[in-house]
Amino acid sequence: MTMLILFGSVIMGIIFGATPGLTATLGVALLTTLTYGMDHSTAMVALMGIYVGGVYGGSYTSILVNIPGTAASAATALDGYPLACKGQAGRALGLTTTSSAIGTFIGMIFVVLLSPIISALALEFTSFEFFLLAMFGIIISGTLTSQDLVYKGWIAGFIGLFLATIGRDKLQFFPRYTFGMSDLEGGLDLVPVLIGAFGIPQIIQSLRDNFKIGETQKFKKILPDFKTIGQNIPTIIRSSLIGVGIGAVPGIGEDIAGWVSYGTAKKVSKHPEEYGKGSVEAVISTETANNACIGGAMIPLLNLGIPGSPPAAMLLGALMLHGIQPGPMLNIDNPTFILDITAILLLASVAMWICGILLAKQVVKVLRIPTSLFMPVIAVLCIIGSYALGTRVFNLFLMLPIGIIAYFLTEMKYPIAPLIIGVILGDMCDSNLRRALMVSKGSFLPVLTRPVSLVLFIVIVLLILGQIPAFQRFQKTVKEQFISHFKKNNRNAQS
Protein backbone atom coordinates (compact mmCIF):
# COMPACT_ATOMS: atom_id res chain seq x y z
CA MET A 1 0.00 0.00 0.00
CA THR A 2 2.84 2.40 0.88
CA MET A 3 4.55 1.77 -2.47
CA LEU A 4 1.25 2.39 -4.24
CA ILE A 5 0.95 5.75 -2.46
CA LEU A 6 4.57 6.55 -3.34
CA PHE A 7 4.18 5.82 -7.07
CA GLY A 8 0.76 7.52 -7.17
CA SER A 9 2.10 10.69 -5.54
CA VAL A 10 5.19 10.73 -7.80
CA ILE A 11 2.98 10.48 -10.91
CA MET A 12 0.71 13.20 -9.51
CA GLY A 13 3.79 15.32 -8.90
CA ILE A 14 5.02 14.80 -12.47
CA ILE A 15 1.61 15.92 -13.78
CA PHE A 16 1.61 18.98 -11.49
CA GLY A 17 5.16 19.84 -12.50
CA ALA A 18 4.55 19.31 -16.21
CA THR A 19 1.33 21.34 -16.37
CA PRO A 20 2.03 25.07 -16.77
CA GLY A 21 0.12 26.94 -14.07
CA LEU A 22 0.53 24.17 -11.52
CA THR A 23 3.66 23.76 -9.41
CA ALA A 24 5.29 21.34 -6.99
CA THR A 25 4.42 23.76 -4.16
CA LEU A 26 0.72 23.73 -5.04
CA GLY A 27 0.83 19.95 -5.37
CA VAL A 28 2.35 19.56 -1.90
CA ALA A 29 -0.19 22.08 -0.51
CA LEU A 30 -3.19 20.23 -1.90
CA LEU A 31 -1.91 16.78 -1.02
CA THR A 32 -1.27 17.96 2.55
CA THR A 33 -5.00 18.44 2.95
CA LEU A 34 -5.57 14.82 1.91
CA THR A 35 -3.10 13.41 4.44
CA TYR A 36 -4.96 14.52 7.58
CA GLY A 37 -6.13 10.99 8.31
CA MET A 38 -2.78 9.27 7.60
CA ASP A 39 -0.01 8.52 10.10
CA HIS A 40 2.94 10.85 9.68
CA SER A 41 5.18 8.24 7.98
CA THR A 42 2.66 7.50 5.22
CA ALA A 43 1.93 11.22 4.86
CA MET A 44 5.66 11.94 4.36
CA VAL A 45 5.86 9.22 1.67
CA ALA A 46 3.04 10.91 -0.23
CA LEU A 47 4.34 14.46 0.23
CA MET A 48 7.99 13.73 -0.59
CA GLY A 49 6.82 11.74 -3.63
CA ILE A 50 4.83 14.63 -5.05
CA TYR A 51 7.67 17.07 -4.20
CA VAL A 52 10.30 15.04 -6.08
CA GLY A 53 7.95 14.30 -8.99
CA GLY A 54 6.85 17.93 -9.21
CA VAL A 55 10.37 19.35 -9.49
CA TYR A 56 11.26 16.78 -12.17
CA GLY A 57 7.95 17.03 -14.09
CA GLY A 58 8.61 20.57 -15.29
CA SER A 59 11.21 19.24 -17.73
CA TYR A 60 8.50 17.58 -19.88
CA THR A 61 6.96 20.75 -21.27
CA SER A 62 10.35 22.52 -21.24
CA ILE A 63 11.70 19.93 -23.67
CA LEU A 64 8.59 19.07 -25.67
CA VAL A 65 6.88 22.47 -26.14
CA ASN A 66 9.53 24.96 -24.97
CA ILE A 67 7.30 26.11 -22.08
CA PRO A 68 8.60 25.38 -18.56
CA GLY A 69 6.04 23.52 -16.49
CA THR A 70 7.60 25.10 -13.39
CA ALA A 71 10.11 27.89 -12.76
CA ALA A 72 12.59 25.21 -11.66
CA SER A 73 12.80 23.84 -15.22
CA ALA A 74 12.93 27.19 -17.02
CA ALA A 75 16.67 26.87 -17.70
CA THR A 76 16.14 23.36 -19.10
CA ALA A 77 14.00 24.75 -21.95
CA LEU A 78 16.98 26.71 -23.36
CA ASP A 79 18.70 23.54 -24.57
CA GLY A 80 16.06 20.84 -24.06
CA TYR A 81 13.73 22.17 -26.74
CA PRO A 82 16.49 22.57 -29.38
CA LEU A 83 17.42 18.93 -28.68
CA ALA A 84 13.77 17.92 -29.24
CA CYS A 85 13.71 19.89 -32.51
CA LYS A 86 16.71 17.83 -33.65
CA GLY A 87 14.66 14.65 -33.13
CA GLN A 88 16.32 13.85 -29.78
CA ALA A 89 13.33 14.46 -27.46
CA GLY A 90 13.46 10.89 -26.13
CA ARG A 91 17.16 11.18 -25.43
CA ALA A 92 16.73 14.58 -23.73
CA LEU A 93 13.92 13.26 -21.50
CA GLY A 94 16.02 10.21 -20.67
CA LEU A 95 18.94 12.41 -19.64
CA THR A 96 16.76 14.71 -17.50
CA THR A 97 15.10 11.69 -15.86
CA THR A 98 18.41 10.05 -14.96
CA SER A 99 20.18 13.25 -13.92
CA SER A 100 17.17 14.29 -11.79
CA ALA A 101 17.25 10.91 -10.02
CA ILE A 102 21.00 11.23 -9.42
CA GLY A 103 20.58 14.81 -8.16
CA THR A 104 17.89 13.71 -5.69
CA PHE A 105 20.11 10.84 -4.53
CA ILE A 106 23.12 13.11 -3.94
CA GLY A 107 20.91 15.59 -2.09
CA MET A 108 19.76 12.71 0.12
CA ILE A 109 23.38 11.87 0.96
CA PHE A 110 23.98 15.42 2.15
CA VAL A 111 20.86 15.25 4.34
CA VAL A 112 22.35 12.21 6.09
CA LEU A 113 25.87 13.66 6.38
CA LEU A 114 25.11 17.23 7.42
CA SER A 115 22.02 16.81 9.60
CA PRO A 116 23.85 15.49 12.70
CA ILE A 117 26.44 18.30 12.49
CA ILE A 118 23.90 21.11 12.07
CA SER A 119 21.59 19.62 14.66
CA ALA A 120 24.41 19.37 17.22
CA LEU A 121 25.47 22.96 16.47
CA ALA A 122 21.88 24.21 16.78
CA LEU A 123 21.60 22.68 20.27
CA GLU A 124 24.19 25.25 21.42
CA PHE A 125 22.08 28.14 20.14
CA THR A 126 20.41 30.53 22.57
CA SER A 127 17.43 32.79 21.92
CA PHE A 128 19.60 35.51 20.30
CA GLU A 129 20.95 33.01 17.73
CA PHE A 130 17.47 31.76 16.85
CA PHE A 131 16.19 35.33 16.50
CA LEU A 132 19.08 36.29 14.19
CA LEU A 133 18.74 33.04 12.25
CA ALA A 134 15.06 33.81 11.60
CA MET A 135 15.93 37.38 10.55
CA PHE A 136 18.67 36.04 8.27
CA GLY A 137 16.13 33.69 6.64
CA ILE A 138 13.70 36.53 5.95
CA ILE A 139 16.37 38.97 4.70
CA ILE A 140 18.23 36.49 2.45
CA SER A 141 14.99 35.14 1.03
CA GLY A 142 13.80 38.66 0.22
CA THR A 143 17.19 39.60 -1.24
CA LEU A 144 17.51 36.64 -3.59
CA THR A 145 13.93 36.20 -4.77
CA SER A 146 13.09 39.79 -5.74
CA GLN A 147 12.65 40.22 -9.48
CA ASP A 148 13.61 43.90 -9.60
CA LEU A 149 13.97 45.85 -6.34
CA VAL A 150 15.33 44.05 -3.28
CA TYR A 151 13.25 46.07 -0.84
CA LYS A 152 10.11 44.45 -2.32
CA GLY A 153 11.34 41.09 -1.04
CA TRP A 154 12.07 42.57 2.39
CA ILE A 155 8.61 44.20 2.53
CA ALA A 156 6.99 40.87 1.63
CA GLY A 157 9.02 39.18 4.37
CA PHE A 158 7.97 41.73 6.98
CA ILE A 159 4.31 41.46 5.94
CA GLY A 160 4.63 37.74 6.70
CA LEU A 161 6.34 38.60 9.99
CA PHE A 162 3.43 40.88 10.90
CA LEU A 163 0.87 38.20 10.04
CA ALA A 164 2.70 35.81 12.38
CA THR A 165 2.22 38.20 15.32
CA ILE A 166 -1.59 38.04 15.09
CA GLY A 167 -3.12 36.21 18.06
CA ARG A 168 -2.19 35.81 21.70
CA ASP A 169 1.58 35.94 22.22
CA LYS A 170 3.09 32.82 23.72
CA LEU A 171 5.09 34.48 26.47
CA GLN A 172 2.57 36.76 28.16
CA PHE A 173 -0.64 35.54 26.51
CA PHE A 174 -1.54 39.10 25.49
CA PRO A 175 -3.92 39.44 22.47
CA ARG A 176 -2.39 41.24 19.49
CA TYR A 177 -4.32 42.51 16.43
CA THR A 178 -7.29 40.26 17.21
CA PHE A 179 -9.85 43.11 17.22
CA GLY A 180 -11.95 41.14 19.69
CA MET A 181 -12.38 38.21 17.26
CA SER A 182 -12.06 34.89 19.07
CA ASP A 183 -11.05 33.10 15.82
CA LEU A 184 -7.88 35.19 15.68
CA GLU A 185 -6.77 34.57 19.26
CA GLY A 186 -5.00 31.32 18.36
CA GLY A 187 -3.14 33.02 15.51
CA LEU A 188 -3.39 32.27 11.79
CA ASP A 189 -3.44 28.60 10.80
CA LEU A 190 -0.46 27.96 8.54
CA VAL A 191 -2.08 25.62 6.00
CA PRO A 192 -4.89 27.98 4.85
CA VAL A 193 -2.32 30.80 4.60
CA LEU A 194 -0.02 28.65 2.45
CA ILE A 195 -2.86 27.36 0.25
CA GLY A 196 -4.16 30.89 -0.22
CA ALA A 197 -0.74 32.39 -0.95
CA PHE A 198 0.35 29.70 -3.41
CA GLY A 199 -2.94 28.39 -4.81
CA ILE A 200 -5.22 31.39 -5.40
CA PRO A 201 -2.72 33.50 -7.45
CA GLN A 202 -1.98 30.53 -9.73
CA ILE A 203 -5.66 29.80 -10.28
CA ILE A 204 -6.40 33.44 -11.13
CA GLN A 205 -3.37 33.73 -13.44
CA SER A 206 -4.15 30.48 -15.28
CA LEU A 207 -7.82 31.37 -15.83
CA ARG A 208 -6.92 34.92 -16.83
CA ASP A 209 -4.29 33.86 -19.36
CA ASN A 210 -6.41 30.93 -20.64
CA PHE A 211 -3.20 28.99 -21.14
CA LYS A 212 -3.06 26.28 -23.80
CA ILE A 213 -0.25 23.84 -24.48
CA GLY A 214 0.97 23.84 -28.09
CA GLU A 215 1.92 20.90 -30.26
CA THR A 216 4.48 18.69 -28.55
CA GLN A 217 7.59 17.37 -30.26
CA LYS A 218 7.36 13.71 -31.20
CA PHE A 219 9.41 11.04 -29.44
CA LYS A 220 9.37 7.25 -29.68
CA LYS A 221 10.75 6.13 -26.36
CA ILE A 222 12.75 7.47 -23.42
CA LEU A 223 16.40 6.48 -23.55
CA PRO A 224 18.42 6.54 -20.27
CA ASP A 225 21.74 7.04 -22.23
CA PHE A 226 24.02 5.99 -19.35
CA LYS A 227 27.10 6.53 -21.56
CA THR A 228 26.42 10.28 -21.84
CA ILE A 229 25.65 10.41 -18.12
CA GLY A 230 29.00 8.76 -17.42
CA GLN A 231 30.82 11.29 -19.60
CA ASN A 232 29.24 14.15 -17.63
CA ILE A 233 30.07 12.98 -14.09
CA PRO A 234 31.99 16.21 -13.25
CA THR A 235 29.00 18.29 -14.39
CA ILE A 236 26.67 16.16 -12.28
CA ILE A 237 28.83 16.47 -9.16
CA ARG A 238 29.27 20.23 -9.57
CA SER A 239 25.56 20.78 -10.26
CA SER A 240 24.58 18.64 -7.29
CA LEU A 241 26.79 20.70 -4.97
CA ILE A 242 25.28 23.91 -6.35
CA GLY A 243 21.77 22.50 -5.89
CA VAL A 244 22.40 21.37 -2.31
CA GLY A 245 24.11 24.66 -1.40
CA ILE A 246 21.33 26.85 -2.81
CA GLY A 247 18.66 24.58 -1.36
CA ALA A 248 20.12 25.06 2.10
CA VAL A 249 19.63 28.84 1.88
CA PRO A 250 16.17 29.70 3.30
CA GLY A 251 13.38 30.41 0.84
CA ILE A 252 15.39 30.37 -2.40
CA GLY A 253 14.32 27.22 -4.19
CA GLU A 254 14.88 25.03 -7.20
CA ASP A 255 14.54 27.67 -9.94
CA ILE A 256 17.55 29.66 -8.69
CA ALA A 257 19.53 26.40 -8.41
CA GLY A 258 18.75 25.57 -12.04
CA TRP A 259 19.82 28.97 -13.35
CA VAL A 260 23.00 29.19 -11.25
CA SER A 261 23.99 25.67 -12.33
CA TYR A 262 23.30 26.51 -15.98
CA GLY A 263 25.41 29.67 -15.78
CA THR A 264 28.27 27.89 -14.03
CA ALA A 265 28.22 24.96 -16.48
CA LYS A 266 28.37 27.35 -19.43
CA LYS A 267 31.21 29.31 -17.83
CA VAL A 268 33.44 26.26 -17.30
CA SER A 269 32.36 24.32 -20.40
CA LYS A 270 34.83 23.43 -23.16
CA HIS A 271 32.05 24.13 -25.66
CA PRO A 272 30.10 27.18 -24.41
CA GLU A 273 29.11 27.99 -27.99
CA GLU A 274 26.79 24.97 -27.99
CA TYR A 275 24.69 26.36 -25.11
CA GLY A 276 21.29 27.48 -26.31
CA LYS A 277 21.53 25.23 -29.37
CA GLY A 278 20.86 21.86 -27.76
CA SER A 279 23.70 21.20 -25.33
CA VAL A 280 23.38 17.89 -23.50
CA GLU A 281 25.68 19.18 -20.77
CA ALA A 282 23.35 22.14 -20.11
CA VAL A 283 20.27 19.92 -19.75
CA ILE A 284 22.08 17.62 -17.34
CA SER A 285 23.38 20.54 -15.25
CA THR A 286 20.00 22.20 -14.72
CA GLU A 287 18.01 19.06 -13.96
CA THR A 288 20.64 17.67 -11.59
CA ALA A 289 20.79 20.94 -9.66
CA ASN A 290 17.05 21.53 -9.25
CA ASN A 291 16.47 18.03 -7.91
CA ALA A 292 19.57 18.11 -5.67
CA CYS A 293 18.05 21.29 -4.24
CA ILE A 294 15.33 19.14 -2.63
CA GLY A 295 17.88 17.50 -0.31
CA GLY A 296 19.48 20.87 0.38
CA ALA A 297 16.11 22.38 1.30
CA MET A 298 15.43 19.55 3.73
CA ILE A 299 18.62 20.22 5.74
CA PRO A 300 17.59 23.58 7.33
CA LEU A 301 13.97 22.45 7.42
CA LEU A 302 14.62 19.36 9.51
CA ASN A 303 17.42 20.68 11.70
CA LEU A 304 16.52 24.34 12.21
CA GLY A 305 12.82 24.47 11.35
CA ILE A 306 13.61 26.87 8.48
CA PRO A 307 12.38 25.83 5.00
CA GLY A 308 14.90 26.05 2.17
CA SER A 309 12.34 26.42 -0.63
CA PRO A 310 8.60 27.17 -1.15
CA PRO A 311 7.66 23.44 -1.39
CA ALA A 312 9.71 22.83 1.76
CA ALA A 313 7.70 25.63 3.45
CA MET A 314 4.56 23.70 2.63
CA LEU A 315 6.18 20.54 3.97
CA LEU A 316 6.88 22.35 7.24
CA GLY A 317 3.17 23.11 7.55
CA ALA A 318 2.40 19.45 6.87
CA LEU A 319 4.91 18.29 9.49
CA MET A 320 3.43 20.57 12.14
CA LEU A 321 -0.04 19.35 11.16
CA HIS A 322 1.08 15.79 11.89
CA GLY A 323 2.60 16.71 15.25
CA ILE A 324 6.24 16.75 14.11
CA GLN A 325 8.20 19.84 15.20
CA PRO A 326 11.33 20.28 13.03
CA GLY A 327 14.33 21.87 14.70
CA PRO A 328 17.24 21.02 17.00
CA MET A 329 15.03 18.81 19.20
CA LEU A 330 13.81 16.68 16.29
CA ASN A 331 16.55 14.07 16.75
CA ILE A 332 15.65 13.76 20.44
CA ASP A 333 11.86 13.69 20.05
CA ASN A 334 11.90 11.50 16.90
CA PRO A 335 15.36 9.85 16.67
CA THR A 336 14.69 8.01 13.38
CA PHE A 337 12.73 10.70 11.57
CA ILE A 338 15.61 12.16 9.50
CA LEU A 339 16.69 8.67 8.45
CA ASP A 340 13.09 7.94 7.48
CA ILE A 341 13.03 11.06 5.30
CA THR A 342 16.29 10.11 3.58
CA ALA A 343 14.96 6.62 2.88
CA ILE A 344 11.79 8.15 1.43
CA LEU A 345 13.91 10.47 -0.73
CA LEU A 346 15.82 7.46 -2.06
CA LEU A 347 12.62 5.55 -2.84
CA ALA A 348 11.06 8.65 -4.39
CA SER A 349 14.05 9.14 -6.71
CA VAL A 350 13.82 5.50 -7.83
CA ALA A 351 10.04 5.78 -8.32
CA MET A 352 10.53 9.00 -10.27
CA TRP A 353 13.09 7.36 -12.56
CA ILE A 354 10.84 4.34 -13.24
CA CYS A 355 7.77 6.51 -13.85
CA GLY A 356 9.78 8.92 -16.01
CA ILE A 357 11.20 6.17 -18.21
CA LEU A 358 8.03 4.07 -18.54
CA LEU A 359 5.10 6.49 -18.31
CA ALA A 360 6.25 9.60 -20.22
CA LYS A 361 3.85 9.10 -23.13
CA GLN A 362 0.86 8.66 -20.80
CA VAL A 363 1.78 11.79 -18.83
CA VAL A 364 2.05 13.78 -22.07
CA LYS A 365 -1.51 12.66 -22.96
CA VAL A 366 -2.74 14.05 -19.61
CA LEU A 367 -1.18 17.40 -20.55
CA ARG A 368 -3.65 17.66 -23.43
CA ILE A 369 -6.47 18.25 -20.91
CA PRO A 370 -7.25 22.01 -21.03
CA THR A 371 -6.03 24.01 -18.04
CA SER A 372 -9.51 25.55 -17.77
CA LEU A 373 -10.76 22.10 -16.68
CA PHE A 374 -7.93 21.59 -14.18
CA MET A 375 -8.30 24.89 -12.38
CA PRO A 376 -11.89 24.58 -11.04
CA VAL A 377 -10.86 21.22 -9.56
CA ILE A 378 -7.81 22.84 -7.97
CA ALA A 379 -10.00 25.65 -6.59
CA VAL A 380 -12.39 23.13 -5.00
CA LEU A 381 -9.45 21.24 -3.48
CA CYS A 382 -8.10 24.52 -2.04
CA ILE A 383 -11.45 25.22 -0.40
CA ILE A 384 -11.87 21.68 0.93
CA GLY A 385 -8.30 21.60 2.19
CA SER A 386 -8.61 24.87 4.09
CA TYR A 387 -12.00 23.97 5.58
CA ALA A 388 -10.97 20.44 6.53
CA LEU A 389 -8.32 21.78 8.91
CA GLY A 390 -10.35 21.84 12.12
CA THR A 391 -13.57 22.09 10.01
CA ARG A 392 -13.44 25.86 10.50
CA VAL A 393 -15.33 28.16 8.13
CA PHE A 394 -13.04 30.93 9.36
CA ASN A 395 -10.15 29.30 7.49
CA LEU A 396 -11.96 29.98 4.21
CA PHE A 397 -12.31 33.66 5.16
CA LEU A 398 -8.58 33.57 5.91
CA MET A 399 -7.48 31.77 2.72
CA LEU A 400 -9.38 33.92 0.22
CA PRO A 401 -8.17 37.42 1.25
CA ILE A 402 -4.60 36.19 1.67
CA GLY A 403 -4.80 34.61 -1.79
CA ILE A 404 -6.12 37.82 -3.33
CA ILE A 405 -3.47 39.91 -1.56
CA ALA A 406 -0.80 37.45 -2.75
CA TYR A 407 -2.11 37.74 -6.31
CA PHE A 408 -1.82 41.54 -6.33
CA LEU A 409 1.60 41.36 -4.68
CA THR A 410 2.71 38.95 -7.41
CA GLU A 411 1.38 41.29 -10.08
CA MET A 412 3.43 44.12 -8.53
CA LYS A 413 6.49 41.80 -8.57
CA TYR A 414 6.60 41.30 -4.81
CA PRO A 415 7.90 37.73 -4.25
CA ILE A 416 5.63 35.44 -2.25
CA ALA A 417 8.34 33.15 -0.86
CA PRO A 418 9.66 35.76 1.67
CA LEU A 419 6.07 36.42 2.82
CA ILE A 420 5.63 32.73 3.58
CA ILE A 421 9.05 32.52 5.22
CA GLY A 422 8.03 35.51 7.36
CA VAL A 423 4.80 33.79 8.45
CA ILE A 424 6.67 30.57 9.28
CA LEU A 425 9.62 32.19 11.04
CA GLY A 426 7.58 34.97 12.66
CA ASP A 427 6.89 33.13 15.88
CA MET A 428 10.53 31.97 16.13
CA CYS A 429 11.73 35.52 15.53
CA ASP A 430 9.28 37.24 17.91
CA SER A 431 9.38 34.78 20.81
CA ASN A 432 13.15 34.39 20.82
CA LEU A 433 13.85 38.13 20.63
CA ARG A 434 11.56 38.84 23.58
CA ARG A 435 12.86 35.87 25.56
CA ALA A 436 16.46 36.91 24.91
CA LEU A 437 15.77 40.49 26.04
CA MET A 438 14.06 39.20 29.20
CA VAL A 439 17.10 37.06 30.06
CA SER A 440 19.62 39.82 29.24
CA LYS A 441 17.46 42.46 31.02
CA GLY A 442 16.99 44.47 27.84
CA SER A 443 20.61 44.36 26.67
CA PHE A 444 21.65 43.58 23.07
CA LEU A 445 25.28 43.09 24.15
CA PRO A 446 25.13 39.23 23.93
CA VAL A 447 24.71 39.62 20.14
CA LEU A 448 28.26 40.97 20.02
CA THR A 449 29.80 38.65 22.60
CA ARG A 450 28.55 35.30 21.27
CA PRO A 451 30.49 34.10 18.15
CA VAL A 452 27.55 32.66 16.17
CA SER A 453 25.36 35.66 17.00
CA LEU A 454 28.11 38.04 15.92
CA VAL A 455 28.62 36.22 12.59
CA LEU A 456 24.89 36.21 11.84
CA PHE A 457 24.61 39.88 12.83
CA ILE A 458 27.51 40.89 10.54
CA VAL A 459 26.09 38.88 7.62
CA ILE A 460 22.65 40.51 8.03
CA VAL A 461 24.17 44.00 8.22
CA LEU A 462 26.31 43.35 5.12
CA LEU A 463 23.28 42.01 3.23
CA ILE A 464 21.37 45.21 3.97
CA LEU A 465 24.30 47.57 3.37
CA GLY A 466 25.09 45.73 0.12
CA GLN A 467 21.88 47.12 -1.39
CA ILE A 468 22.75 50.75 -0.59
CA PRO A 469 24.38 52.54 -3.60
CA ALA A 470 26.88 54.46 -1.42
CA PHE A 471 28.10 51.22 0.17
CA GLN A 472 28.31 49.55 -3.28
CA ARG A 473 30.51 52.42 -4.50
CA PHE A 474 32.65 52.10 -1.37
CA GLN A 475 33.04 48.33 -1.99
CA LYS A 476 34.01 48.98 -5.62
CA THR A 477 36.61 51.57 -4.63
CA VAL A 478 38.15 49.29 -2.01
CA LYS A 479 38.25 46.39 -4.49
CA GLU A 480 39.92 48.51 -7.21
CA GLN A 481 42.51 49.85 -4.76
CA PHE A 482 43.26 46.34 -3.51
CA ILE A 483 43.73 44.99 -7.08
CA SER A 484 45.87 48.00 -8.00
CA HIS A 485 48.03 47.52 -4.89
CA PHE A 486 48.36 43.77 -5.61
CA LYS A 487 49.46 44.38 -9.24
CA LYS A 488 51.95 47.04 -8.15
CA ASN A 489 53.51 44.67 -5.62
CA ASN A 490 53.65 41.95 -8.28
CA ARG A 491 55.47 44.21 -10.72
CA ASN A 492 57.95 45.28 -8.03
CA ALA A 493 58.63 41.65 -7.15
CA GLN A 494 59.25 40.72 -10.81
CA SER A 495 61.58 43.68 -11.38
Side-chain angles (χ1 to χ4, degrees):
M1 186 63 184
T2 304
M3 294 308 290
L4 194 63
I5 291 173
L6 175 67
F7 275 86
S9 56
V10 167
I11 292 171
M12 195 186 299
I14 293 173
I15 293 171
F16 264 79
T19 307
L22 305 181
T23 63
T25 307
L26 184 58
V28 175
L30 294 178
L31 194 58
T32 297
T33 64
L34 302 178
T35 63
Y36 291 155
M38 298 180 184
D39 62 87
H40 73 260
S41 299
T42 310
M44 285 303 106
V45 168
L47 295 171
M48 293 304 297
I50 199 168
Y51 186 5
V52 172
V55 174
Y56 155 72
S59 62
Y60 277 63
T61 41
S62 290
I63 292 170
L64 297 177
V65 291
N66 198 26
I67 297 173
T70 61
S73 59
T76 306
L78 295 180
D79 286 84
Y81 186 67
L83 275 172
C85 292
K86 293 176 185 174
Q88 299 183 40
R91 184 187 179 213
L93 284 172
L95 289 171
T96 57
T97 304
T98 307
S99 55
S100 294
I102 295 172
T104 308
F105 178 75
I106 294 177
M108 178 210 72
I109 293 173
F110 276 90
V111 174
V112 176
L113 293 178
L114 295 183
S115 289
I117 301 170
I118 294 176
S119 188
L121 181 67
L123 283 173
E124 302 298 322
F125 286 6
T126 64
S127 294
F128 271 119
E129 278 87 3
F130 280 114
F131 160 68
L132 289 167
L133 201 59
M135 286 302 297
F136 170 73
I138 294 168
I139 297 290
I140 191 73
S141 172
T143 303
L144 296 180
T145 57
S146 298
Q147 294 181 37
D148 46 12
L149 300 171
V150 168
Y151 74 80
K152 289 185 176 180
W154 295 348
I155 290 174
F158 284 105
I159 290 175
L161 199 57
F162 163 72
L163 291 175
T165 61
I166 294 174
R168 288 188 179 272
D169 81 86
K170 292 182 179 175
L171 295 184
Q172 296 173 314
F173 212 57
F174 187 80
R176 299 181 299 188
Y177 311 114
T178 58
F179 305 105
M181 297 171 67
S182 58
D183 285 315
L184 287 176
E185 292 200 352
L188 304 183
D189 282 328
L190 188 57
V191 172
V193 172
L194 292 174
I195 290 177
F198 287 124
I200 301 296
Q202 286 182 8
I203 291 169
I204 296 174
Q205 284 168 356
S206 298
L207 293 177
R208 183 196 63 189
D209 298 339
N210 193 22
F211 190 86
K212 292 180 180 175
I213 294 178
E215 192 63 32
T216 58
Q217 294 292 317
K218 299 284 187 293
F219 66 96
K220 292 180 181 177
K221 60 180 180 179
I222 306 292
L223 303 170
D225 197 358
F226 291 118
K227 184 180 177 184
T228 304
I229 291 291
Q231 291 169 344
N232 284 277
I233 292 294
T235 302
I236 288 173
I237 293 172
R238 182 182 59 247
S239 302
S240 298
L241 294 176
I242 290 172
V244 171
I246 289 178
V249 180
I252 308 305
E254 292 79 13
D255 50 338
I256 304 288
W259 282 112
V260 171
S261 180
Y262 183 89
T264 307
K266 185 177 181 181
K267 200 172 181 181
V268 302
S269 174
K270 293 177 181 174
H271 304 286
E273 73 282 356
E274 293 179 1
Y275 278 63
K277 300 173 184 174
S279 168
V280 166
E281 188 181 61
V283 170
I284 290 174
S285 70
T286 57
E287 286 301 310
T288 305
N290 61 27
N291 269 74
C293 190
I294 297 172
M298 297 305 294
I299 294 170
L301 170 65
L302 295 174
N303 297 289
L304 300 173
I306 299 175
S309 67
M314 197 57 240
L315 269 180
L316 176 60
L319 287 172
M320 294 165 74
L321 199 65
H322 286 277
I324 303 293
Q325 182 61 52
M329 298 301 290
L330 181 62
N331 269 330
I332 297 170
D333 296 336
N334 296 278
T336 62
F337 189 77
I338 291 178
L339 288 176
D340 291 345
I341 289 292
T342 54
I344 293 170
L345 264 178
L346 175 62
L347 291 173
S349 66
V350 173
M352 181 206 71
W353 189 84
I354 293 172
C355 293
I357 294 294
L358 299 179
L359 301 178
K361 285 194 174 181
Q362 285 68 28
V363 172
V364 170
K365 286 177 186 173
V366 174
L367 298 182
R368 309 309 308 169
I369 299 173
T371 309
S372 55
L373 292 181
F374 262 124
M375 287 306 164
V377 176
I378 299 298
V380 170
L381 288 175
C382 286
I383 292 170
I384 292 173
S386 297
Y387 175 73
L389 180 64
T391 59
R392 295 176 69 199
V393 176
F394 179 76
N395 284 342
L396 298 180
F397 296 127
L398 177 64
M399 177 195 72
L400 285 173
I402 285 183
I404 292 169
I405 291 169
Y407 169 73
F408 283 110
L409 286 174
T410 306
E411 289 295 298
M412 292 186 289
K413 297 186 177 178
Y414 283 79
I416 296 303
L419 186 146
I420 295 303
I421 295 290
V423 172
I424 290 172
L425 299 183
D427 180 55
M428 176 178 168
C429 186
D430 174 45
S431 301
N432 282 293
L433 173 62
R434 296 171 64 214
R435 189 178 295 115
L437 290 176
M438 285 178 186
V439 172
S440 66
K441 297 180 179 176
S443 172
F444 280 97
L445 194 60
V447 171
L448 305 177
T449 57
R450 295 183 59 84
V452 177
S453 288
L454 184 60
V455 170
L456 285 169
F457 178 72
I458 291 172
V459 170
I460 291 170
V461 169
L462 288 177
L463 274 173
I464 296 171
L465 288 178
Q467 305 305 320
I468 299 173
F471 187 76
Q472 290 172 347
R473 287 194 295 273
F474 171 73
Q475 273 185 312
K476 189 178 177 183
T477 305
V478 170
K479 187 178 176 183
E480 286 173 353
Q481 286 182 350
F482 176 78
I483 293 172
S484 172
H485 183 71
F486 179 76
K487 286 180 177 176
K488 188 179 176 182
N489 281 349
N490 234 7
R491 281 197 298 271
N492 290 339
Q494 286 174 356
S495 61

